[in-house]
Amino acid sequence: MTLMFNGIGVSRGVAVGEAHVLHRYQVDVTARKLTKKQVPAECRRLRRAIKDAKAQLLNTRDNIPKDAPSDISSFIETHILMLDDSVLNDTPIDIIKSEQCNAEAALQQQREALAKVFGTMEDHYLATRIDDINHVIDMVLRELSDTNENLIGENWKGQIVIADDLTPADTIDMQNHGVAGFVTETGGQLSHTAILARSLGIPAIVGVHNIRQYVVPGETLTLDGRNGLVLAEPTEAMLNDVKKRQKAARLKQRELNKLIDTETETLDGIKLQLNANIEIEEDIKAVKRVNADGVGLYRTEFLYLNRNSLPTEQEHYKVYAKVIRALKGSMLTLRTADLGSDKEISARAMTTPRSPLAHNPAMGLRGIRLCLNDTQLFIPQLRAIFRASTKGPIRILLPMLTNTAEVHQTLTLINAVKEDLRKEGIDFDENIPVGGMIEVPAAAIAANHFASMLDFLSIGTNDLIQYTLAIDRIDDQVNYLYDPLHPAVLQLIKLTIDAGIKAKIPVSLCGEMAGDPRYVRLLLGLGLTDFSMPPNSLLEAKRCLLESKRSRIRKHAMALLETTDAHDQLVLLDRINGN
Ligand code: PEP
Ligand code: MG
């Protein structure tokens, strides 16, 4: 029987694949077939997990308080003995070898065999010993789950991953392992996981509550990332329909590819900049493929994720130099680390200890606040940026500005870094423009002040919408309130564009709105001429803009600034998007 699930489509595209259900914080005992070559490593993995579980128990035993009842220590001794027993050592190893399966499945098989034996025992006391066996097996499984990330990753190829939630770091791993798509039970369309999925071209849906209770691992799924629809065990007719849509998407892409070399100019002769957003070095390929004018947002924080130490100055330098060289003279807008909130850095990597859990991380120590708070994290990045600046044109973009003191402080730090480099005789570009993200309502309202201190501004609508409408961008429960057409949001965008025009500095917009075909013309009508978006969105946005006349759109865009009624908003948006 086909089951249908609805969620929030966050990354367009249709995918078909087997379900790979992830149960984090629960031990996954799904059987996986190994190749002959993988078997010895898997046996070692199990032995190591048993050893680690035993070490844990020995540690517990050694730390039992002297006055504790004696049966506690004998209880632990029993578990230690069990871990040494061939029933939990040799037999599961034999199963791994004979069935070429993973350690978890072998342990599970042995657990079921033992449960049968104990279940037939007449002695009640002996029968309940199965509880101890379960406890010990669970301990080993937990140890295994700490080391099984790669093993799971290898099996992701061509599959649709179903998870409770995924981090941006997981998304990068998924792309490396060739997943066909993913579905999560929580998350919003502006989460960095969703942004990365769009940027990496992985079809994705978030906010499908409890889907893991219904999907059977290995069953066929179809995923429609545009409409937020998942089908489990689709019929033949449904599969054919998906294939038809995949074909139509390929044809549409072929048409869009014809625009790759076209200059972006509106029908009334306004020249536009279409830049790309990138997250990782490999994204440059996509930037080249669509022939973006440059990179309007390089989210460098991804360099800090998936690791337990901070990147060194040299690591930063190597990556930046490579990206700049690959861009062959096109501008790279390098945003300094916007860490914190949903791009949380590993606690082990931090140089200054942080309080374990901020109650409201999106409003906590993130972006420029964190960098100014921990300059050991910030200075190596700044030094590397300046050193790499001899390789090609770059701009520095500061995230999450709230007040002009942050700009002052950062500019002072930048000057100190430049002075040190001069003293060390290291070459760098003396005139790198420094700009700021306008993504906090306070900064948008005070955009004039920021414009007078900075060389350019870039509007981050993802955060601007989050903070203006008070909706957590990763919480699917308030996703219904996500409204880029809200007059408060549009007015803040307009204020920032006007502040830039008045100060004669460039203003770009690099939030997801810039690449959304529903909104690009509206932004043009509000006066925007510099767009930065995921490379995959660029050609479609270009087509919309090439077919636009700003003089026609302007009055409808101005009317939208004053409209709160949802129906009226859509009527105006239709007028803007009509040809
Ligand atoms: C934004 O907030 O719009 C933005 C571009 O930054 P990020 O999505 O990385 O927070
Ligand atoms: Mg932001």
Side-chain angles (χ1 to χ4, degrees), residues 62-82:
D62 294 347
N63 288 299
I64 294 176
K66 297 228 167 0
D67 53 354
S70 61
D71 52 347
I72 295 222
S73 94
S74 61
F75 174 75
I76 291 174
E77 287 294 347
T78 313
H79 286 190
I80 294 171
L81 286 174
M82 280 179 177

CSV table of all heavy atoms in Angstrom, one decimal, residues 62-82:
chain,number,residue,atom,x,y,z
A,62,ASP,N,35.6,0.5,39.8
A,62,ASP,CA,36.7,1.1,40.6
A,62,ASP,C,36.2,2.4,41.4
A,62,ASP,O,36.9,2.8,42.3
A,62,ASP,CB,37.9,1.5,39.7
A,62,ASP,CG,38.5,0.3,39.2
A,62,ASP,OD1,38.2,-0.8,39.6
A,62,ASP,OD2,39.3,0.4,38.2
A,63,ASN,N,35.1,2.9,40.9
A,63,ASN,CA,34.6,4.2,41.6
A,63,ASN,C,33.4,4.0,42.4
A,63,ASN,O,32.7,4.9,42.8
A,63,ASN,CB,34.4,5.2,40.5
A,63,ASN,CG,35.7,5.7,40.0
A,63,ASN,OD1,36.5,6.3,40.7
A,63,ASN,ND2,35.9,5.5,38.7
A,64,ILE,N,33.1,2.7,42.7
A,64,ILE,CA,31.9,2.4,43.5
A,64,ILE,C,32.2,2.9,45.0
A,64,ILE,O,33.3,2.6,45.5
A,64,ILE,CB,31.6,0.9,43.6
A,64,ILE,CG1,31.2,0.4,42.2
A,64,ILE,CG2,30.5,0.6,44.6
A,64,ILE,CD1,30.9,-1.1,42.2
A,65,PRO,N,31.3,3.7,45.5
A,65,PRO,CA,31.6,4.2,46.9
A,65,PRO,C,31.8,3.1,47.9
A,65,PRO,O,31.1,2.0,47.7
A,65,PRO,CB,30.3,5.0,47.2
A,65,PRO,CG,29.6,5.3,45.9
A,65,PRO,CD,30.1,4.2,45.0
A,66,LYS,N,32.7,3.3,48.8
A,66,LYS,CA,33.0,2.2,49.7
A,66,LYS,C,31.8,1.7,50.5
A,66,LYS,O,31.7,0.5,50.8
A,66,LYS,CB,34.1,2.7,50.7
A,66,LYS,CG,35.4,3.1,50.1
A,66,LYS,CD,36.6,2.5,50.8
A,66,LYS,CE,37.9,2.5,50.0
A,66,LYS,NZ,38.0,3.1,48.7
A,67,ASP,N,30.9,2.6,50.8
A,67,ASP,CA,29.8,2.2,51.6
A,67,ASP,C,28.6,1.6,50.8
A,67,ASP,O,27.5,1.4,51.4
A,67,ASP,CB,29.3,3.4,52.5
A,67,ASP,CG,29.0,4.6,51.7
A,67,ASP,OD1,29.3,4.6,50.5
A,67,ASP,OD2,28.5,5.6,52.2
A,68,ALA,N,28.8,1.4,49.5
A,68,ALA,CA,27.7,0.9,48.7
A,68,ALA,C,27.4,-0.5,49.0
A,68,ALA,O,28.3,-1.3,49.3
A,68,ALA,CB,28.0,1.1,47.2
A,69,PRO,N,26.1,-1.0,48.8
A,69,PRO,CA,25.9,-2.4,49.1
A,69,PRO,C,26.7,-3.3,48.2
A,69,PRO,O,27.0,-3.0,47.1
A,69,PRO,CB,24.4,-2.6,48.7
A,69,PRO,CG,23.8,-1.2,48.6
A,69,PRO,CD,25.0,-0.3,48.4
A,70,SER,N,27.1,-4.5,48.8
A,70,SER,CA,28.1,-5.3,48.1
A,70,SER,C,27.5,-5.9,46.8
A,70,SER,O,28.2,-6.2,45.8
A,70,SER,CB,28.6,-6.4,49.0
A,70,SER,OG,27.4,-7.2,49.3
A,71,ASP,N,26.1,-6.1,46.7
A,71,ASP,CA,25.6,-6.7,45.5
A,71,ASP,C,25.8,-5.8,44.3
A,71,ASP,O,25.7,-6.2,43.1
A,71,ASP,CB,24.2,-7.1,45.7
A,71,ASP,CG,23.3,-6.0,46.2
A,71,ASP,OD1,23.8,-5.0,46.7
A,71,ASP,OD2,22.0,-6.2,46.2
A,72,ILE,N,26.0,-4.5,44.5
A,72,ILE,CA,26.2,-3.6,43.3
A,72,ILE,C,27.5,-4.0,42.6
A,72,ILE,O,27.5,-4.1,41.4
A,72,ILE,CB,26.4,-2.1,43.8
A,72,ILE,CG1,25.0,-1.7,44.4
A,72,ILE,CG2,26.8,-1.2,42.7
A,72,ILE,CD1,24.5,-0.3,44.1
A,73,SER,N,28.6,-4.2,43.4
A,73,SER,CA,29.8,-4.6,42.8
A,73,SER,C,29.7,-5.9,42.1
A,73,SER,O,30.2,-6.2,41.0
A,73,SER,CB,31.0,-4.4,43.7
A,73,SER,OG,31.3,-5.6,44.3
A,74,SER,N,29.0,-6.9,42.7
A,74,SER,CA,28.9,-8.2,42.1
A,74,SER,C,28.0,-8.1,40.8
A,74,SER,O,28.3,-8.8,39.8
A,74,SER,CB,28.3,-9.2,43.1
A,74,SER,OG,27.0,-8.9,43.5
A,75,PHE,N,27.1,-7.2,40.8
A,75,PHE,CA,26.2,-7.0,39.6
A,75,PHE,C,27.1,-6.5,38.5
A,75,PHE,O,27.1,-7.0,37.4
A,75,PHE,CB,25.2,-5.9,40.0
A,75,PHE,CG,24.4,-5.4,39.0
A,75,PHE,CD1,23.3,-6.1,38.5
A,75,PHE,CD2,24.6,-4.1,38.5
A,75,PHE,CE1,22.5,-5.6,37.5
A,75,PHE,CE2,23.7,-3.6,37.5
A,75,PHE,CZ,22.7,-4.3,37.0
A,76,ILE,N,28.0,-5.6,38.8
A,76,ILE,CA,28.9,-5.1,37.7
A,76,ILE,C,29.9,-6.1,37.3
A,76,ILE,O,30.2,-6.3,36.1
A,76,ILE,CB,29.6,-3.8,38.2
A,76,ILE,CG1,28.6,-2.7,38.3
A,76,ILE,CG2,30.7,-3.3,37.2
A,76,ILE,CD1,29.0,-1.4,38.8
A,77,GLU,N,30.4,-6.9,38.3
A,77,GLU,CA,31.4,-8.0,38.0
A,77,GLU,C,30.7,-9.0,37.0
A,77,GLU,O,31.4,-9.4,36.1
A,77,GLU,CB,31.7,-8.8,39.3
A,77,GLU,CG,32.7,-8.1,40.2
A,77,GLU,CD,34.1,-7.8,39.6
A,77,GLU,OE1,34.4,-8.4,38.6
A,77,GLU,OE2,34.8,-7.0,40.2
A,78,THR,N,29.4,-9.3,37.2
A,78,THR,CA,28.7,-10.2,36.3
A,78,THR,C,28.8,-9.6,34.9
A,78,THR,O,29.0,-10.4,33.9
A,78,THR,CB,27.3,-10.3,36.8
A,78,THR,OG1,27.2,-10.6,38.1
A,78,THR,CG2,26.5,-11.4,36.0
A,79,HIS,N,28.5,-8.3,34.8
A,79,HIS,CA,28.5,-7.7,33.4
A,79,HIS,C,29.9,-7.8,32.8
A,79,HIS,O,30.0,-8.0,31.6
A,79,HIS,CB,28.0,-6.3,33.5
A,79,HIS,CG,26.5,-6.2,33.8
A,79,HIS,ND1,25.8,-5.1,33.7
A,79,HIS,CD2,25.6,-7.2,34.1
A,79,HIS,CE1,24.5,-5.3,33.9
A,79,HIS,NE2,24.4,-6.6,34.2
A,80,ILE,N,30.9,-7.6,33.6
A,80,ILE,CA,32.3,-7.6,33.1
A,80,ILE,C,32.5,-9.1,32.6
A,80,ILE,O,33.1,-9.3,31.5
A,80,ILE,CB,33.3,-7.2,34.1
A,80,ILE,CG1,33.1,-5.7,34.5
A,80,ILE,CG2,34.7,-7.4,33.7
A,80,ILE,CD1,33.9,-5.2,35.6
A,81,LEU,N,32.1,-10.0,33.4
A,81,LEU,CA,32.4,-11.4,33.0
A,81,LEU,C,31.6,-11.7,31.7
A,81,LEU,O,32.1,-12.4,30.8
A,81,LEU,CB,31.9,-12.4,34.1
A,81,LEU,CG,32.8,-12.4,35.3
A,81,LEU,CD1,32.1,-13.3,36.4
A,81,LEU,CD2,34.2,-13.0,34.9
A,82,MET,N,30.4,-11.2,31.6
A,82,MET,CA,29.6,-11.4,30.3
A,82,MET,C,30.4,-10.9,29.1
A,82,MET,O,30.4,-11.5,28.1
A,82,MET,CB,28.3,-10.8,30.4
A,82,MET,CG,27.3,-11.5,31.3
A,82,MET,SD,25.7,-10.6,31.3
A,82,MET,CE,24.7,-11.8,32.2
